[in-house]
Amino acid sequence: QVQLQESGPGLVKPSQTLSLTCTISGGSMATGYYFWNWIRQPPGKGREWMGAITYSGTTYYSPSLKSRSSISRDTSKNQFTLQLSSVTPEDTAVYYCAGGGSLYEYNVWGQGTQVTVSS
């Protein structure tokens, strides 16, 4: 059974770059789901899809975040990473990683990690 776990700093200062890693266990990027996603949920708001990467390294980004986002993967470590630059307090959210068989389809989720942007 594939499981996902997010990791990264819980507090980031404005203008810095947020970096989060999702570690896949119980399976691999190659044989598990095809799309590996990052999704966030700001307080009091709905979930927002941020972007995705495939095993082969093809990336997809939300147009609203594309200029600040970068998703990469390390298949040897079974991990994929989100970097979000120039963060502001509006980037405060619970960040989730999720795997799915098609874009915008989420079959397995991580538990989520709270990230607060504050000085």
Side-chain angles (χ1 to χ4, degrees):
Q1 180 177 343
V2 174
Q3 294 182 320
L4 306 181
Q5 179 66 59
E6 305 89 349
S7 59
L11 180 64
V12 182
K13 294 186 177 182
S15 80
Q16 291 187 339
T17 296
L18 164 66
S19 183
L20 296 174
T21 296
C22 183
T23 301
I24 304 163
S25 60
S28 74
M29 293 191 77
T31 59
Y33 299 99
Y34 190 70
F35 290 90
W36 302 97
N37 302 270
W38 285 102
I39 299 151
R40 69 180 181 180
Q41 185 166 18
K45 297 184 180 180
R47 288 176 178 167
E48 177 186 22
W49 178 79
M50 302 180 70
I53 190 167
T54 66
Y55 170 74
S56 61
T58 302
T59 52
Y60 303 82
Y61 296 101
S62 167
S64 64
L65 296 171
K66 185 175 183 178
S67 63
R68 298 195 291 130
S69 301
S70 178
I71 300 175
S72 59
R73 91 272 190 248
D74 186 334
T75 55
S76 66
K77 294 182 179 179
N78 239 11
Q79 294 176 331
F80 60 106
T81 299
L82 168 72
Q83 290 193 315
L84 184 67
S85 64
S86 304
V87 297
T88 72
E90 286 66 42
D91 294 308
T92 294
V94 178
Y95 286 75
Y96 299 90
C97 57
S102 58
L103 203 56
Y104 311 125
E105 175 185 316
Y106 316 121
N107 301 106
V108 60
W109 290 79
Q111 65 182 21
T113 187
Q114 173 70 47
V115 176
T116 300
V117 180
S118 175
S119 56

